[in-house]
Amino acid sequence: KRPGWSGTKRDFTSLALEPLSDDAMDALLAGLVPGLPSGLRARIRERAEGVPLYAVETVRMLLDRGLVRRDGDGYVAADDIGSLEVPETLHALIAARLDGLGPEERRALDDAAVLGKTFTRAGLAALTGTSEEELEPVLASLVRKDLLTVQSDPRSPERGSYGFLQALVQRIAHDTLSRREQKARHLAAARYLEGSWGSEETEIVEVSASHYLDAYRAEPGAADAAEIKAAARDALARAGRRAAALAANEQAQRYFEQAAELAEEPV
């Protein structure tokens, strides 16, 4: 968008991220799955075309499907994989991995995608209507499959919270939901946040407003669209008033401008 931006900055270094070479891709795959058959490794490398995430997600898909299994310290092909039917794009590859999940895993991941890049088990339980105890093995399975991570640092205030290993996975899981499902989940997330922290908490107001706005955009022609849009506008206005009271004027202005974009009347 701004090709000349770096020319005005001091101490600026530009790095061009080119596709990985064949040797680098082989080293990546050898480190990820030591012992992977050379023929299979070559097919993955050719399909990845130098994109490391594509290669990693391909291997994860093979593990998910049982086409590659652990054998001692390395991995072996469970059966003759043949021509290696792999989706053409990274988006389609991740979507295929999600399609291979069990019903409980997929539902938990879809709900988590609505909550955001990171989330708590309590928040997910509130959204799904499932107890935290029932969710624990499902989340553990998603962590084992390298779809989610869990914060385990005892010094972190976010210890025990979960997050998507790749932001792209979160976006694809969210975007594959139907419009109606997106709307229902975003409304549930907004109401959970307001019920748990109160509607006047500044950071929560901003997040709940974004959920209301996403719910409105999912079905702008729905019978309750005007009500949802008003809820988003009012939440942003509350955040603006709170920020102004704390002398965070730039932040307040940003909230008010967002609220004004949702207004029905010029005043």
Side-chain angles (χ1 to χ4, degrees), residues 155-199:
R155 297 166 296 179
S156 172
E158 297 183 352
R159 182 184 182 187
S161 64
Y162 292 82
F164 282 84
L165 190 64
Q166 298 287 347
L168 185 59
V169 173
Q170 183 228 340
R171 182 167 65 80
I172 292 172
H174 178 275
D175 291 350
T176 52
L177 291 169
S178 70
R179 292 289 186 177
R180 186 178 298 275
E181 290 173 326
Q182 289 181 20
K183 174 186 172 183
R185 283 169 164 84
H186 279 295
L187 284 176
R191 289 162 182 165
Y192 162 72
L193 291 170
E194 291 182 341
S196 300
W197 282 277
S199 61

Side-chain angles (χ1 to χ4, degrees), residues 7-255:
T8 63
K9 303 295 180 183
R10 298 181 61 187
D11 302 322
F12 178 86
T13 301
S14 176
L15 296 176
L17 300 180
E18 303 295 341
L20 293 186
S21 66
D22 287 351
D23 289 343
M25 189 67 78
D26 279 339
L28 174 86
L29 289 168
L32 179 66
V33 281
L36 192 68
S38 59
L40 175 58
R41 186 169 65 244
R43 291 203 296 274
I44 295 174
R45 183 189 65 228
E46 291 168 4
R47 182 60 66 88
E49 296 182 339
V51 179
L53 182 57
Y54 191 104
V56 171
E57 288 297 325
T58 301
V59 172
R60 287 172 176 159
M61 183 190 72
L62 294 173
L63 289 167
D64 290 346
R65 295 181 179 181
L67 298 176
V68 169
R69 59 178 174 81
R70 181 176 289 278
D71 181 35
D73 294 331
Y75 290 83
V76 296
D79 297 297
D80 182 13
I81 298 179
S83 61
L84 186 61
E85 295 292 333
V86 178
E88 293 288 344
T89 66
L90 181 59
H91 186 289
L93 174 59
I94 293 176
R97 285 194 67 204
L98 299 184
D99 287 342
L101 295 175
E104 292 183 350
E105 293 174 328
R106 184 59 192 267
R107 182 186 175 192
L109 202 71
D110 288 345
D111 287 337
V114 171
L115 289 173
K117 178 70 165 57
T118 60
F119 58 93
T120 64
R121 192 164 58 188
L124 186 60
L127 198 61
T128 61
T130 307
S131 70
E132 293 186 47
E133 291 73 19
E134 292 175 300
L135 280 175
E136 187 171 359
V138 177
L139 291 172
S141 176
L142 292 171
V143 170
R144 285 195 303 271
K145 293 181 178 180
D146 283 336
L147 291 166
L148 299 178
T149 60
V150 60
Q151 176 58 260
S152 58
D153 186 349
R155 297 166 296 179
S156 172
E158 297 183 352
R159 182 184 182 187
S161 64
Y162 292 82
F164 282 84
L165 190 64
Q166 298 287 347
L168 185 59
V169 173
Q170 183 228 340
R171 182 167 65 80
I172 292 172
H174 178 275
D175 291 350
T176 52
L177 291 169
S178 70
R179 292 289 186 177
R180 186 178 298 275
E181 290 173 326
Q182 289 181 20
K183 174 186 172 183
R185 283 169 164 84
H186 279 295
L187 284 176
R191 289 162 182 165
Y192 162 72
L193 291 170
E194 291 182 341
S196 300
W197 282 277
S199 61
E200 298 301 324
E201 181 63 35
T202 306
E203 293 183 5
I204 298 304
V205 164
E206 182 180 14
V207 176
S208 63
S210 70
H211 281 299
Y212 280 126
L213 189 56
D214 286 337
Y216 165 71
R217 288 172 175 166
E219 285 194 315
D224 58 350
E227 178 184 346
I228 297 171
K229 184 179 181 181
R233 182 188 65 235
D234 293 345
L236 286 165
R238 289 198 304 273
R241 289 194 293 272
R242 178 66 180 272
L246 298 173
N249 296 327
E250 290 185 5
Q251 189 179 42
Q253 180 175 339
R254 179 164 56 87
Y255 288 143

